[in-house]
Amino acid sequence: LESATGSLSMPSVGVVVKLEQEALQVLDNHGKLKAVRPSDAQPQKKSATAVALDSEQQTVGQGDVVKVTDGIYKSKTGTVRHVFRAFLFLYSPSRMENSGMFIVRSRQCTLMGHSKHTENANTNSAGPGGPGGP
């Protein structure tokens, strides 16, 4: 699934959830499903380095697994496929609607496990072999 922009109103992005003969079905950052002509869609924007903060101020990015703690998708879990500002496009194989894709605000989620996108790297200088260590 790719992100696409085009006839969507700016600043709006979306993820293609279905291919049809004449149009792409795009789930936009407002949670609406829109039909977009392939010629109007712009190529995927890279979001591999984009991050947002969850409800506990932890960094969440593409590939992380989160649990929704608030809103209409409360208690659902999903893998982050795309980040746009404070919006997370999540994928859950158990959801049938929109090919398993749904969108939530990052503050409505909690990171499950460790983020692959930590901004604060472990700088334990007192560890063995590290600076200041034995």
Side-chain angles (χ1 to χ4, degrees):
L1 300 175
E2 297 181 8
S3 61
T5 58
S7 64
L8 303 173
S9 61
M10 289 305 288
S12 186
V13 299
V15 176
V16 176
V17 294
K18 186 176 181 183
L19 300 173
E20 296 178 344
Q21 283 186 341
E22 299 293 322
L24 305 171
Q25 291 295 323
V26 176
L27 180 65
D28 72 3
N29 60 310
H30 303 292
K32 305 272 191 237
L33 198 59
K34 296 188 177 190
V36 177
R37 291 182 307 184
S39 60
D40 291 339
Q42 294 178 0
Q44 177 177 357
K45 303 290 184 192
K46 302 296 182 199
S47 71
T49 58
V51 294
L53 295 177
D54 72 355
S55 62
E56 297 176 355
Q57 303 299 311
Q58 295 180 14
T59 304
V60 177
Q62 187 174 350
D64 291 335
V65 178
V66 296
K67 181 172 185 173
V68 182
T69 57
D70 192 23
I72 62 173
Y73 298 111
K74 186 175 182 174
S75 77
K76 304 287 185 200
T77 60
T79 304
V80 178
R81 287 288 175 95
H82 184 67
V83 178
F84 174 71
R85 297 185 181 176
F87 295 100
L88 302 177
F89 288 87
L90 304 179
Y91 171 73
S92 176
S94 63
R95 288 186 46 85
M96 300 307 289
E97 184 181 6
N98 297 329
S99 301
M101 296 295 295
F102 60 105
I103 184 168
V104 296
R105 303 270 274 156
S106 63
R107 300 291 178 134
Q108 295 177 324
C109 298
T110 301
L111 180 66
M112 297 179 68
H114 295 285
S115 177
K116 299 174 182 177
H117 304 274
T118 57
E119 291 179 344
N120 302 323
N122 187 3
T123 57
N124 185 5
S125 61

